[in-house]
Amino acid sequence: MPIQITEITSKYLSKAHNWKSPGNDQIQNYWLKAFPATHRHITKNFNAITEEMEKAPDWLTTGITYLIPKSEDSKEVRNYRHITCLTTMYKTLTGIIAKRISTHLEEQSLLPAEQKGCYPGSKSCKDQLMILKAIYEDCRRRNKNLSRAWIDYQKALDSVPHSWVEKSIAMVGVNSKIVRFYELFIEKWDIRLILKTKQEVMQSQTIQI
């Protein structure tokens, strides 16, 4: 599963937000778009990392989590809203790989038609609501009974074990090097907590995820 230069420029960066908050690398997408001469060098390093994970620098997988107070009571953990910023290089690399996997799933018809969440080109809940509305109106026109049930999975994506994700992508035929890449990348995930007050900026040590 080689990564081509054209994927960085036309398929990922063209859709990336120019000024999205960066992480440790402090690089915003605008500058990657503005200097296309860097793309072949970025691609070379991306290919090296997917081939040998040991070549990945530690900063690549370190996120910065900003703690934003929701009230003046700073002693309660629940009174903070947290926002994590990942490095632009990490998001670019994983975005390219995710697109490759998505294309593979579509070409092999491995995604069920009912799947709307995270489906390319889907509006997720809006799509499902429109389908439900059409069914409802059809039943009313035909004077048919209709029962509906809604199931809300709390933190559905957050609670899936990483081992299940790795097993799933292997089962659908994703390149073994990419499966291994994700396994090793997940082990390298860590964050630093940052809290800004009027007096100072406090920062934690690196925390392993």
mmCIF file of all heavy atoms in Angstrom, residues 76-96:
data_model
loop_
_atom_site.group_PDB
_atom_site.id
_atom_site.type_symbol
_atom_site.label_atom_id
_atom_site.label_comp_id
_atom_site.label_asym_id
_atom_site.label_seq_id
_atom_site.Cartn_x
_atom_site.Cartn_y
_atom_site.Cartn_z
ATOM 1 N N GLU A 76 -12.771 20.860 40.748
ATOM 2 C CA GLU A 76 -13.548 19.732 40.239
ATOM 3 C C GLU A 76 -13.118 19.391 38.807
ATOM 4 O O GLU A 76 -13.164 20.243 37.923
ATOM 5 C CB GLU A 76 -15.045 20.045 40.263
ATOM 6 C CG GLU A 76 -15.668 20.006 41.632
ATOM 7 C CD GLU A 76 -15.799 18.591 42.167
ATOM 8 O OE1 GLU A 76 -15.806 17.638 41.364
ATOM 9 O OE2 GLU A 76 -15.886 18.454 43.399
ATOM 10 N N VAL A 77 -12.733 18.141 38.606
ATOM 11 C CA VAL A 77 -12.280 17.702 37.278
ATOM 12 C C VAL A 77 -13.397 17.847 36.241
ATOM 13 O O VAL A 77 -13.158 18.221 35.098
ATOM 14 C CB VAL A 77 -11.812 16.231 37.334
ATOM 15 C CG1 VAL A 77 -11.445 15.728 35.935
ATOM 16 C CG2 VAL A 77 -10.613 16.110 38.260
ATOM 17 N N ARG A 78 -14.632 17.581 36.666
ATOM 18 C CA ARG A 78 -15.757 17.632 35.732
ATOM 19 C C ARG A 78 -16.070 19.047 35.246
ATOM 20 O O ARG A 78 -16.859 19.227 34.318
ATOM 21 C CB ARG A 78 -16.999 17.032 36.391
ATOM 22 C CG ARG A 78 -17.464 17.775 37.621
ATOM 23 C CD ARG A 78 -18.599 17.052 38.311
ATOM 24 N NE ARG A 78 -19.002 17.725 39.538
ATOM 25 C CZ ARG A 78 -19.905 17.239 40.385
ATOM 26 N NH1 ARG A 78 -20.492 16.086 40.121
ATOM 27 N NH2 ARG A 78 -20.211 17.897 41.485
ATOM 28 N N ASN A 79 -15.453 20.045 35.856
ATOM 29 C CA ASN A 79 -15.693 21.423 35.453
ATOM 30 C C ASN A 79 -14.757 21.891 34.336
ATOM 31 O O ASN A 79 -14.669 23.083 34.045
ATOM 32 C CB ASN A 79 -15.548 22.367 36.653
ATOM 33 C CG ASN A 79 -16.702 22.207 37.635
ATOM 34 O OD1 ASN A 79 -17.775 21.752 37.254
ATOM 35 N ND2 ASN A 79 -16.476 22.563 38.886
ATOM 36 N N TYR A 80 -14.050 20.927 33.734
ATOM 37 C CA TYR A 80 -13.155 21.267 32.635
ATOM 38 C C TYR A 80 -13.618 20.589 31.348
ATOM 39 O O TYR A 80 -14.027 19.436 31.346
ATOM 40 C CB TYR A 80 -11.725 20.810 32.938
ATOM 41 C CG TYR A 80 -11.048 21.616 34.022
ATOM 42 C CD1 TYR A 80 -11.100 21.207 35.355
ATOM 43 C CD2 TYR A 80 -10.367 22.788 33.724
ATOM 44 C CE1 TYR A 80 -10.484 21.936 36.359
ATOM 45 C CE2 TYR A 80 -9.741 23.527 34.715
ATOM 46 C CZ TYR A 80 -9.809 23.094 36.030
ATOM 47 O OH TYR A 80 -9.198 23.829 37.022
ATOM 48 N N ARG A 81 -13.564 21.346 30.279
ATOM 49 C CA ARG A 81 -13.799 20.785 28.946
ATOM 50 C C ARG A 81 -12.432 20.605 28.296
ATOM 51 O O ARG A 81 -11.604 21.505 28.310
ATOM 52 C CB ARG A 81 -14.666 21.736 28.114
ATOM 53 C CG ARG A 81 -14.994 21.211 26.722
ATOM 54 C CD ARG A 81 -16.145 22.018 26.136
ATOM 55 N NE ARG A 81 -15.804 23.434 26.015
ATOM 56 C CZ ARG A 81 -15.287 23.987 24.914
ATOM 57 N NH1 ARG A 81 -15.045 23.232 23.852
ATOM 58 N NH2 ARG A 81 -15.029 25.272 24.858
ATOM 59 N N HIS A 82 -12.185 19.438 27.758
ATOM 60 C CA HIS A 82 -10.862 19.165 27.198
ATOM 61 C C HIS A 82 -10.903 19.085 25.670
ATOM 62 O O HIS A 82 -11.810 18.517 25.085
ATOM 63 C CB HIS A 82 -10.297 17.864 27.777
ATOM 64 C CG HIS A 82 -11.199 16.684 27.588
ATOM 65 N ND1 HIS A 82 -12.247 16.417 28.442
ATOM 66 C CD2 HIS A 82 -11.220 15.720 26.643
ATOM 67 C CE1 HIS A 82 -12.874 15.325 28.033
ATOM 68 N NE2 HIS A 82 -12.268 14.882 26.937
ATOM 69 N N ILE A 83 -9.919 19.692 25.043
ATOM 70 C CA ILE A 83 -9.767 19.651 23.591
ATOM 71 C C ILE A 83 -8.342 19.203 23.276
ATOM 72 O O ILE A 83 -7.379 19.815 23.743
ATOM 73 C CB ILE A 83 -10.019 21.035 22.957
ATOM 74 C CG1 ILE A 83 -11.457 21.492 23.213
ATOM 75 C CG2 ILE A 83 -9.733 20.999 21.455
ATOM 76 C CD1 ILE A 83 -11.768 22.865 22.680
ATOM 77 N N THR A 84 -8.222 18.126 22.516
ATOM 78 C CA THR A 84 -6.905 17.591 22.182
ATOM 79 C C THR A 84 -6.533 17.956 20.747
ATOM 80 O O THR A 84 -7.307 17.715 19.820
ATOM 81 C CB THR A 84 -6.865 16.066 22.359
ATOM 82 O OG1 THR A 84 -7.149 15.735 23.729
ATOM 83 C CG2 THR A 84 -5.491 15.509 21.981
ATOM 84 N N CYS A 85 -5.359 18.540 20.570
ATOM 85 C CA CYS A 85 -4.841 18.887 19.246
ATOM 86 C C CYS A 85 -3.734 17.908 18.873
ATOM 87 O O CYS A 85 -2.753 17.766 19.614
ATOM 88 C CB CYS A 85 -4.294 20.317 19.253
ATOM 89 S SG CYS A 85 -5.559 21.574 19.553
ATOM 90 N N LEU A 86 -3.916 17.233 17.745
ATOM 91 C CA LEU A 86 -2.907 16.296 17.253
ATOM 92 C C LEU A 86 -2.023 17.004 16.236
ATOM 93 O O LEU A 86 -2.417 18.005 15.638
ATOM 94 C CB LEU A 86 -3.585 15.089 16.608
ATOM 95 C CG LEU A 86 -4.564 14.318 17.499
ATOM 96 C CD1 LEU A 86 -5.241 13.211 16.701
ATOM 97 C CD2 LEU A 86 -3.851 13.743 18.708
ATOM 98 N N THR A 87 -0.826 16.482 16.023
ATOM 99 C CA THR A 87 0.081 17.105 15.065
ATOM 100 C C THR A 87 -0.501 17.021 13.654
ATOM 101 O O THR A 87 -1.145 16.036 13.292
ATOM 102 C CB THR A 87 1.463 16.427 15.080
ATOM 103 O OG1 THR A 87 1.320 15.057 14.698
ATOM 104 C CG2 THR A 87 2.099 16.502 16.457
ATOM 105 N N THR A 88 -0.260 18.056 12.870
ATOM 106 C CA THR A 88 -0.764 18.093 11.499
ATOM 107 C C THR A 88 -0.166 16.954 10.670
ATOM 108 O O THR A 88 -0.845 16.360 9.832
ATOM 109 C CB THR A 88 -0.431 19.445 10.852
ATOM 110 O OG1 THR A 88 -1.066 20.485 11.613
ATOM 111 C CG2 THR A 88 -0.918 19.517 9.412
ATOM 112 N N MET A 89 1.101 16.638 10.910
ATOM 113 C CA MET A 89 1.750 15.543 10.174
ATOM 114 C C MET A 89 1.088 14.205 10.484
ATOM 115 O O MET A 89 0.888 13.368 9.597
ATOM 116 C CB MET A 89 3.245 15.478 10.525
ATOM 117 C CG MET A 89 4.078 16.602 9.951
ATOM 118 S SD MET A 89 4.211 16.561 8.151
ATOM 119 C CE MET A 89 3.049 17.826 7.688
ATOM 120 N N TYR A 90 0.719 13.995 11.745
ATOM 121 C CA TYR A 90 0.050 12.750 12.135
ATOM 122 C C TYR A 90 -1.326 12.653 11.472
ATOM 123 O O TYR A 90 -1.694 11.609 10.923
ATOM 124 C CB TYR A 90 -0.101 12.703 13.661
ATOM 125 C CG TYR A 90 -0.896 11.505 14.161
ATOM 126 C CD1 TYR A 90 -0.279 10.275 14.345
ATOM 127 C CD2 TYR A 90 -2.251 11.615 14.450
ATOM 128 C CE1 TYR A 90 -0.996 9.180 14.798
ATOM 129 C CE2 TYR A 90 -2.972 10.527 14.897
ATOM 130 C CZ TYR A 90 -2.341 9.314 15.074
ATOM 131 O OH TYR A 90 -3.067 8.227 15.512
ATOM 132 N N LYS A 91 -2.067 13.755 11.485
ATOM 133 C CA LYS A 91 -3.408 13.748 10.887
ATOM 134 C C LYS A 91 -3.331 13.562 9.375
ATOM 135 O O LYS A 91 -4.208 12.913 8.774
ATOM 136 C CB LYS A 91 -4.143 15.051 11.243
ATOM 137 C CG LYS A 91 -4.565 15.112 12.708
ATOM 138 C CD LYS A 91 -5.414 16.335 12.998
ATOM 139 C CE LYS A 91 -4.595 17.601 13.003
ATOM 140 N NZ LYS A 91 -5.390 18.776 13.466
ATOM 141 N N THR A 92 -2.299 14.115 8.751
ATOM 142 C CA THR A 92 -2.143 13.957 7.306
ATOM 143 C C THR A 92 -1.830 12.505 6.958
ATOM 144 O O THR A 92 -2.448 11.918 6.063
ATOM 145 C CB THR A 92 -1.021 14.874 6.779
ATOM 146 O OG1 THR A 92 -1.331 16.233 7.099
ATOM 147 C CG2 THR A 92 -0.870 14.747 5.274
ATOM 148 N N LEU A 93 -0.883 11.923 7.671
ATOM 149 C CA LEU A 93 -0.488 10.534 7.402
ATOM 150 C C LEU A 93 -1.651 9.574 7.626
ATOM 151 O O LEU A 93 -1.982 8.755 6.763
ATOM 152 C CB LEU A 93 0.693 10.147 8.296
ATOM 153 C CG LEU A 93 1.117 8.677 8.277
ATOM 154 C CD1 LEU A 93 1.449 8.221 6.859
ATOM 155 C CD2 LEU A 93 2.309 8.457 9.211
ATOM 156 N N THR A 94 -2.298 9.675 8.786
ATOM 157 C CA THR A 94 -3.401 8.746 9.082
ATOM 158 C C THR A 94 -4.614 9.040 8.198
ATOM 159 O O THR A 94 -5.387 8.131 7.878
ATOM 160 C CB THR A 94 -3.806 8.840 10.567
ATOM 161 O OG1 THR A 94 -4.093 10.207 10.916
ATOM 162 C CG2 THR A 94 -2.688 8.321 11.461
ATOM 163 N N GLY A 95 -4.782 10.308 7.782
ATOM 164 C CA GLY A 95 -5.887 10.641 6.881
ATOM 165 C C GLY A 95 -5.716 9.987 5.519
ATOM 166 O O GLY A 95 -6.685 9.492 4.931
ATOM 167 N N ILE A 96 -4.486 9.965 5.018
ATOM 168 C CA ILE A 96 -4.208 9.327 3.730
ATOM 169 C C ILE A 96 -4.466 7.824 3.815
ATOM 170 O O ILE A 96 -5.098 7.225 2.938
ATOM 171 C CB ILE A 96 -2.755 9.605 3.307
ATOM 172 C CG1 ILE A 96 -2.581 11.092 2.964
ATOM 173 C CG2 ILE A 96 -2.354 8.737 2.115
ATOM 174 C CD1 ILE A 96 -1.145 11.512 2.797
#
